[in-house]
Amino acid sequence: MDAQQLLLLAVPAAFIAFGLGWLAARVDIKHLIEGSKSLPRSYFRGLNFLLNEQPDRAIDSFIEAVQGDPETVELHFTLGAMFRRRGETERAIRIHQSLLDRADLAQADRDKALLELGRDFLKAGMFDRAEDAFQKLRGSSVEAEALRDLLDIFEIEKEWVKAIDCARELEMRAGADMTGRIAHYHCELAQFAIMQSRFDEAGREISAAFAAMRHSVRAGILAGELALAAGDVEDAIAAWAALGRQNPHHVALVAEKLMAAYKRLGRDDDGLRMLEGSLAQSASYDVLVIVARETLAREGADAAFALLLRELRRSPTLIGLEQLVQARFAQMPADLAGELDIVKTLLHHQTRRLSRYVCTRCGFKSSRHHWHCPGCRNWDSYPPRRAEELDITS
Ligand SMILES: [Zn+2]
């Protein structure tokens, strides 16, 4: 087939495609016109106000429209969600409240309107009114969603006992796996009790955390802190060492505490040997920093430098290099160290970013490890490793 024949076939095909498109458009327009005839005039007035950026007058018209035509209920949900997303919670509240004021609203729509109203209150920071709305939805068609929103309120208000009850209810009614969260809520209570020197209560909460989640890392850390607060240093070491046997990465979270506890017993060498063993199992910046510091204090600068060099070869990172450079600078004559200070400064600018912890859900970076992300409010989304270590692993 030559180019001329191809052209002869292609031209009619293009006309057919254009014709079909035109027909389809005609059908759509006809359908639209027929549909619009059934909509109340106030609906179009509302759209017009919305387009002219007069949202309050638009809401008045839409409220009028929904009184005359129940078909516009979905439109109200869409508008309400849009206003809330834009932070215009007063307008969202008006829309959802107007739906609830309708006597003939179907039960499923009434439940949904109350749920949305509760979310408007939540977004506006009116927690009491939000909680009241969600509590009223127990046993409704949107109960599971309402319970999740209630749980958000309890977390924000740090009402951990209520959060535990609510999470258990979600497990029962919606089949959700809340074990990790429940363990954290008990840990929050335990942490507060330790701060208040209420050790028996702290012990009970830690046991409850373990009961909810057998290998809870946070409960293991707190078990060590409770033992230490009660003066049982050996028990504290045992609790933290157990975390390392569970997963060597966890040692990074307790390395400093472990070394301090060994020192309290005058067993510095045992502490250093334990951390060296952990480092040999799994490269870790946090463990390396402590092992290097202790080696420097015990065996001097050459030994610390040799250790850092060996670890850097094994796991090359800029944050590790900074430690090595600092160790080398400490050995240099003051005038030479002064001249090369710019190297240290530049390196530090880079490592400050790389040494932060990162939320694997939302990417929120923080200089300290979090159990509950301040950005996306997920639990357990921070691995116990620095950003650069994670980059290398991934
Ligand atoms: Zn996050």
Side-chain angles (χ1 to χ4, degrees):
M1 192 180 289
D2 61 19
Q4 211 168 7
Q5 285 171 307
L6 267 175
L7 192 67
L8 283 171
L9 282 174
V11 170
F15 271 110
I16 291 165
F18 173 77
L20 285 174
W22 178 82
L23 196 64
R26 282 292 297 263
V27 171
D28 277 353
I29 289 167
K30 196 172 165 223
H31 180 74
L32 249 177
I33 291 169
E34 276 172 4
S36 69
K37 280 178 190 163
S38 64
L39 289 169
R41 192 180 290 273
S42 47
Y43 170 83
F44 291 101
R45 255 202 331 265
L47 275 182
N48 202 29
F49 284 132
L50 206 59
L51 290 170
N52 286 310
E53 297 193 4
Q54 292 176 277
D56 289 315
R57 297 186 73 180
I59 292 169
D60 287 338
S61 292
F62 287 130
I63 289 173
E64 196 184 315
V66 83
Q67 305 300 337
D69 184 359
E71 294 300 312
T72 56
V73 166
E74 275 308 317
L75 169 80
H76 280 65
F77 284 127
T78 308
L79 281 172
M82 183 192 80
F83 282 126
R84 188 173 64 232
R85 206 166 41 246
R86 285 166 42 162
E88 298 170 41
T89 46
E90 273 183 40
R91 292 187 173 123
I93 289 169
R94 266 192 73 201
I95 286 182
H96 294 130
Q97 191 63 63
S98 77
L99 276 177
L100 285 169
D101 289 343
R102 267 189 58 170
D104 61 339
L105 194 67
Q107 189 56 48
D109 286 335
R110 183 168 295 281
D111 293 345
K112 195 176 167 194
L114 187 55
L115 180 74
E116 295 301 325
L117 185 66
R119 287 173 176 170
D120 298 337
F121 288 139
L122 184 58
K123 178 89 184 243
M126 293 187 261
F127 297 136
D128 287 352
R129 296 183 75 176
E131 186 179 340
D132 188 46
F134 298 139
Q135 294 284 13
K136 283 180 183 156
L137 288 166
R138 286 176 187 280
S140 73
S141 56
V142 292
E143 182 179 38
E145 286 163 279
L147 282 173
R148 284 186 193 282
D149 289 326
L150 259 182
L151 196 57
D152 277 349
I153 295 177
F154 297 146
E155 285 188 358
I156 291 167
E157 295 188 321
K158 300 188 187 302
E159 293 268 15
W160 305 117
V161 176
K162 285 185 182 176
I164 291 166
D165 292 343
C166 188
R168 293 239 180 264
E169 222 175 322
L170 256 171
E171 279 187 329
M172 276 191 300
R173 294 179 195 272
D177 177 9
M178 306 300 288
T179 48
R181 279 203 192 194
I182 291 172
H184 275 296
Y185 300 153
H186 283 294
C187 286
E188 292 284 348
L189 289 167
Q191 203 165 337
F192 188 65
I194 293 173
M195 275 168 54
Q196 306 272 307
S197 301
R198 288 184 272 118
F199 299 143
D200 289 347
E201 186 187 327
R204 282 195 298 276
E205 293 299 343
I206 290 168
S207 299
F210 278 127
M213 197 179 188
R214 205 170 134 226
H215 295 298
S216 165
V217 177
R218 190 178 179 189
I221 294 174
L222 286 172
E225 285 177 11
L226 175 62
L228 198 69
D232 299 325
V233 186
E234 294 274 8
D235 285 356
I237 290 174
W240 294 328
L243 291 175
R245 287 194 296 278
Q246 199 175 303
N247 184 339
H249 291 322
H250 296 155
V251 178
L253 295 173
V254 288
E256 192 74 77
K257 295 177 200 288
L258 259 171
M259 198 61 224
Y262 275 112
K263 282 186 172 183
R264 263 178 74 169
L265 294 176
R267 291 169 50 199
D268 304 31
D269 289 346
D270 288 344
L272 183 56
R273 260 200 304 278
M274 192 259 160
L275 292 181
E276 280 172 342
S278 169
L279 200 57
Q281 260 190 302
S282 159
S284 160
Y285 168 76
D286 288 278
V287 180
L288 175 63
V289 168
I290 295 164
V291 171
R293 187 189 69 202
E294 296 300 318
T295 306
L296 179 71
R298 224 162 291 256
E299 299 168 37
D302 285 342
F305 186 79
L307 163 81
L308 286 164
L309 194 60
R310 190 179 69 233
E311 285 300 317
L312 201 61
R313 282 184 177 136
R314 181 177 153 222
S315 173
T317 57
L318 270 183
I319 51 179
L321 180 66
E322 188 183 24
Q323 295 294 316
L324 185 84
V325 168
Q326 277 175 1
R328 184 50 96 202
F329 267 56
Q331 291 176 298
M332 279 182 185
D335 55 337
L336 188 58
E339 282 174 25
L340 293 174
D341 209 39
I342 183 78
V343 176
K344 226 164 73 174
T345 310
L346 282 174
L347 199 53
H348 186 63
H349 279 307
Q350 290 300 315
T351 54
R352 211 170 37 185
R353 191 171 46 83
L354 295 169
S355 64
R356 283 184 287 183
Y357 294 97
V358 189
C359 172
T360 50
R361 297 289 188 88
C362 71
F364 192 95
K365 289 182 179 165
S366 167
S367 56
R368 70 182 185 91
H369 178 266
H370 291 281
W371 298 107
H372 192 201
C373 176
C376 64
R377 304 186 48 248
N378 270 295
W379 292 89
D380 281 325
S381 56
Y382 277 82
R385 315 194 72 189
R386 308 291 178 145
E388 192 181 13
E389 294 178 288
L390 285 176
D391 279 349
I392 288 169
T393 317
S394 61

